[in-house]
Amino acid sequence: MAAVLSEAYGYGIVLGFGLVFAGIMTLITMIQKRFLGEKVTSEEYMAAGRDVKTGLVASAVVSSWTWAATLLQSSSVAYKYGISGPFWYASGASVQVLLFSVLAIELKRKCPNAHTFLEIISIRYGRRTHFVFLFFALLTNIIVSAMLLLGGSAVVTALTGMNTYAACFLLPLGVIIYTLFGGLKATFIADYTHTVVIMIIVLLFSFTAYATSDLIGSPGRMYDLLHEAAALHPVSGNHEGSYLTMASSQGLMFGIINLCSNFGTVFIDNCYWQRAIAASPHSTVKAYLIGGLSWFAIPFTLATTLGISAVALESNERFPTFPNRLLPSDVSAGLVAPHAAVALLGHGGAVAVLLLVFMAVTSAASAELIAVSSVCTFDVYRTYINPMATGKQLINVSHAVVAGFGLIMGVLAVILKEVGIDLGYLYSLMGVLISSAVLPVTFSLLWKKQNGTAAIVAPLGGLCISITAWLVCAKLYAGEITLASTGTDQAMLAGNLGALIGGGLISIVISLIKPDNYTFDGTRSLKQVTDDVVGTPDSNNSSEDVAAVDEKKVSGEKATTLEVAAPKGGWAFDAEEDAKLAKASRFARWSSAVMTVILILLWPLPMFFSNYVFSRGFYTGWVVLSIVWAICSTIAVTIYPLWESRRALGEVFKGMYKAATGRSSTAAV
Ligand SMILES: NC(N)=O
């Protein structure tokens, strides 16, 4: 694609916008400290005080789950498979967030003072298992971070001609600055801001394509254009070759790959556990349910707009590649959405898509940075290097990790690009590499019977199964093992299924042979860090801490340092409070299960098996649904958080008024 914008736009948005944004976020953090009295403690820095409200957590979940791939890969599958692509992208990656609500509330009940999910593994199973899950957790962060920059830099280069390597290193720069300064709380505020911009741009593109564009302008016109496109180049594996059907075998295959791989990137990424940790206990379940449902609209609505517009407009002279079709390599690199945006809105479309991708990449990158930082701080430094670390030392380490990993992210993206791995390949591969740990992690928190052997063997055994299935299938299907053959849907499907099912089955079988009977007393007794007092095993541990150590002795493992908790501090729920959380947990279980069944079975499968090809009226209804869903999501993650925080905002404005005028705030009323 010839660059539509000049390089100045690339540097302006990536560097200029990034630094301005960093400045604004840093200012907001300072304002919070000054007018809301927030302190820089390690608990505040890494856990945002554990009292963040529903709307802000939901918005942060949406923001950190909105990757470059969410915008780009969803549009690519819309382009390749028609309307089933956006649906399968959205449903196959939102149910994990809905189901995670169960883990989030159980984390509150069973380990209310955790900083990372790995602390639970460490307390329950000891050092060896901790190492195994540390490997999977960091691998997940590395894959996601590299994928963000790989997709983001491809778009920046395609639209502006900016050097890809420069984009890889400059995209995270502003993020590093505000994350360093404000920690998790700053990422929450930044996430909110990013989400607002993302939702506005998604709606802008939808209204343009389906209401105002002179090239399309209505669902009916889009319907006609899609019919014409199917006549020119029918979709292999779709009923009647139509773009307007859910009866798409490749779409379904992508849906299953998407479903398996995204379990890994939610359940094994400390970033989502951190949001649960930061949420106030009564907000946790609602935040994940609202977040999951709101996020659905982003890939669904955007790809139903941009991915489908690319199909419809490819034969129009305003399409950037006209008279040629998009190259498969450009589709896999995620360049469908930028092409469609340029066709629809020219320069304005290019700027909007650049901004959209910039927002997605930077907000998700900040979430990854602080997630890695807390894993390295609590699960490496505090566990194995300096168990008696003070809060200040923990913050220092965390700062160093944020800066270091921010640079490493860019290096990783450059390496992948050099090897020839693009966004589409990595997106499908991630589950093969990490999803074997999903069910063992889930069982660690939800199943008292998973024993220590199962917790170690299952993720590693599942990884062996997944890699074997992936490579064998590539060889059988293509006759050779190359980047191209290992990137086929069939090979990726085998690897992803092998990972998720293999890890789960191994854990279940080994655990049932010799079931554990874990009480979770050890995890409940973990304490928060108090910033200037160092806990010692003999002077400060409560009887519960001793129980934790005893539990470990019974299981025959060496106790880890995590049980050496700092004194006082932290949540401990009484029976009445725990009953409320238990009720919230039951609600999370049935509501997330019902929504999952609807989104991945009841809604799509009848449409798949009936071979239904959309009528004009049905397609119009489908488009209206996508836009209404996006509007509801916008309200949920942009207006609702403001409404919930109205008192705090009032305090801030009163304080600022007082500081600016030297008068009492009441004078302003
Ligand atoms: N977050 C994803 N899978 O787009």
Side-chain angles (χ1 to χ4, degrees):
M1 177 181 187
V4 177
L5 303 170
S6 70
E7 256 183 84
Y9 273 96
Y11 284 97
I13 290 196
V14 170
L15 194 56
F17 208 78
L19 291 178
V20 168
F21 201 77
I24 294 171
M25 285 305 124
T26 307
L27 191 67
I28 291 176
T29 305
M30 288 164 71
I31 289 173
Q32 279 181 303
K33 280 184 199 140
R34 164 104 194 259
F35 298 109
L36 294 178
E38 290 179 357
K39 297 189 186 75
V40 189
T41 64
S42 61
E43 285 296 325
E44 190 65 45
Y45 191 82
M46 304 286 224
R50 299 174 200 259
D51 63 352
V52 184
K53 293 193 174 80
T54 308
L56 204 52
V57 177
S59 168
V61 168
V62 168
S63 167
S64 44
W65 195 223
T66 303
W67 302 342
T70 312
L71 316 167
L72 306 176
Q73 182 67 7
S74 61
S75 295
S76 295
V77 290
Y79 176 82
K80 288 198 287 186
Y81 314 133
I83 54 94
S84 70
F87 179 85
W88 281 119
Y89 194 103
S91 69
S94 53
V95 296
Q96 296 83 351
V97 178
L98 300 172
L99 292 169
F100 191 81
S101 63
V102 178
L103 292 194
I105 190 69
E106 287 300 317
L107 173 86
K108 289 287 185 208
R109 296 183 66 208
K110 294 181 177 143
C111 194
N113 298 310
H115 306 90
T116 71
F117 75 97
L118 295 165
E119 288 177 327
I120 299 165
I121 303 283
S122 178
I123 294 171
R124 179 164 178 183
Y125 295 114
R127 187 175 286 232
R128 268 177 297 149
T129 321
H130 186 236
F131 277 136
V132 171
F133 285 91
L134 195 53
F135 163 76
F136 279 98
L138 290 176
L139 182 62
T140 305
N141 295 128
I142 286 170
I143 293 173
V144 173
S145 307
M147 190 165 50
L148 289 171
L149 294 181
L150 207 56
S153 62
V155 170
V156 174
T157 302
L159 288 174
T160 69
M162 179 178 174
N163 183 289
T164 309
Y165 303 131
C168 285
F169 287 103
L170 294 180
L171 271 167
L173 196 64
V175 175
I176 295 174
I177 295 172
Y178 72 73
T179 311
L180 263 179
F181 195 76
L184 187 60
K185 197 58 161 276
T187 73
F188 270 92
I189 310 279
D191 282 352
Y192 171 78
T193 321
H194 286 84
T195 308
V196 172
V197 177
I198 288 170
M199 294 311 304
I200 290 172
I201 298 180
V202 168
L203 286 171
L204 167 87
F205 278 126
S206 289
F207 282 115
T208 302
Y210 287 108
T212 62
S213 162
D214 58 334
L215 298 180
I216 307 173
S218 70
R221 177 75 185 129
M222 181 78 102
Y223 183 84
D224 293 337
L225 290 169
L226 292 177
H227 260 302
E228 287 166 22
L232 285 173
H233 34 78
V235 189
S236 150
N238 278 23
H239 188 65
E240 295 174 359
S242 174
Y243 285 93
L244 288 155
T245 181
M246 288 288 290
S248 165
S249 52
Q250 293 191 78
L252 180 63
M253 200 184 299
F254 166 75
I256 300 171
I257 295 172
N258 199 35
L259 189 66
C260 296
S261 58
N262 281 302
F263 268 109
T265 46
V266 174
F267 284 45
I268 314 298
D269 190 336
N270 189 46
C271 154
Y272 303 96
W273 294 87
Q274 243 180 338
R275 272 138 189 74
I277 287 164
S280 86
H282 297 290
S283 298
T284 316
V285 170
K286 282 183 284 176
Y288 277 85
L289 296 181
I290 293 174
L293 286 177
S294 301
W295 181 87
F296 182 98
I298 296 177
F300 183 56
T301 311
L302 188 78
T304 299
T305 301
L306 289 185
I308 295 294
S309 293
V311 176
L313 296 180
E314 225 175 9
S315 52
N316 188 292
E317 62 185 11
R318 288 211 332 236
F319 198 78
T321 60
F322 180 84
N324 301 316
R325 295 203 68 195
L326 277 162
L327 295 172
S329 57
D330 283 345
V331 175
S332 191
L335 299 181
V336 170
H339 280 82
V342 170
L344 277 172
L345 283 167
H347 272 63
V351 172
V353 103
L354 201 55
L355 205 54
L356 189 63
V357 170
F358 173 80
M359 288 294 170
V361 170
T362 50
S363 62
S366 73
E368 291 301 314
L369 273 182
I370 199 81
V372 171
S373 151
S374 86
V375 166
C376 292
T377 304
F378 286 98
D379 292 285
V380 179
Y381 177 72
R382 189 189 183 214
T383 303
Y384 298 115
I385 299 172
N386 183 5
M388 299 302 166
T390 61
K392 176 135 184 35
Q393 285 172 317
L394 295 177
I395 291 185
N396 288 343
V397 172
S398 156
H399 282 166
V401 177
V402 167
F405 191 69
L407 289 175
I408 292 171
M409 274 179 171
V411 176
L412 292 168
V414 168
I415 292 173
L416 289 173
K417 186 155 176 55
E418 286 300 313
V419 174
I421 289 179
D422 63 18
L423 181 73
Y425 188 96
L426 196 55
Y427 187 79
S428 299
L429 179 67
M430 60 194 186
V432 179
L433 301 179
I434 58 175
S435 285
S436 60
V438 167
L439 288 170
V441 161
T442 307
F443 295 154
S444 300
L445 193 60
L446 299 188
W447 196 30
K448 63 182 180 179
K449 291 186 181 171
Q450 178 173 264
N451 62 38
T453 310
I456 287 194
V457 175
L460 295 177
L463 180 61
C464 294
I465 292 173
S466 67
I467 290 184
T468 308
W470 171 50
L471 295 179
V472 167
C473 190
K475 174 86 178 149
L476 288 179
Y477 194 75
E480 55 180 0
I481 295 183
T482 60
L483 205 57
S485 72
T486 53
T488 58
D489 283 350
Q490 290 76 5
M492 292 296 191
L493 180 66
N496 273 283
L497 283 174
L500 193 63
I501 298 173
L505 276 183
I506 294 173
S507 169
I508 291 170
V509 170
I510 297 178
S511 297
L512 290 181
I513 292 170
K514 194 166 181 280
D516 198 3
N517 187 21
Y518 192 68
T519 61
F520 293 97
D521 286 343
T523 54
R524 276 192 193 94
S525 69
L526 180 72
K527 298 286 187 291
Q528 291 184 14
V529 176
T530 51
D531 264 329
D532 45 8
V533 187
V534 182
T536 60
D538 43 8
S539 65
N540 290 313
N541 276 355
S542 66
S543 56
E544 288 154 332
D545 296 321
V546 176
V549 178
D550 285 345
E551 204 162 348
K552 191 58 53 56
K553 280 183 188 149
V554 169
S555 72
E557 288 231 24
K558 191 171 176 289
T560 68
T561 54
L562 283 171
E563 290 131 297
V564 185
K568 296 188 242 123
W571 297 90
F573 301 116
D574 59 22
E576 190 185 342
E577 193 63 14
D578 190 51
K580 284 188 195 155
L581 296 184
K583 194 172 162 200
S585 178
R586 284 194 296 278
F587 175 69
R589 280 166 209 253
W590 72 255
S591 58
S592 63
V594 167
M595 285 189 267
T596 299
V597 168
I598 292 173
L599 288 176
I600 63 173
L601 298 176
L602 297 185
W603 181 355
L605 291 192
M607 298 181 80
F608 176 83
F609 287 114
S610 65
N611 281 339
Y612 178 62
V613 177
F614 286 16
S615 66
R616 184 185 298 268
F618 197 89
Y619 182 66
T620 303
W622 188 266
V623 168
V624 169
L625 173 75
S626 79
I627 295 176
V628 169
W629 200 318
I631 293 170
C632 294
S633 301
T634 307
I635 294 169
V637 293
T638 68
I639 296 171
Y640 179 49
L642 282 184
W643 171 252
E644 267 188 330
S645 303
R646 60 195 181 282
R647 285 208 181 83
L649 287 171
E651 288 296 316
V652 168
F653 287 127
K654 275 188 210 165
M656 285 169 71
Y657 178 82
K658 201 171 158 187
T661 61
R663 279 194 281 155
S664 157
S665 56
T666 47
V669 182

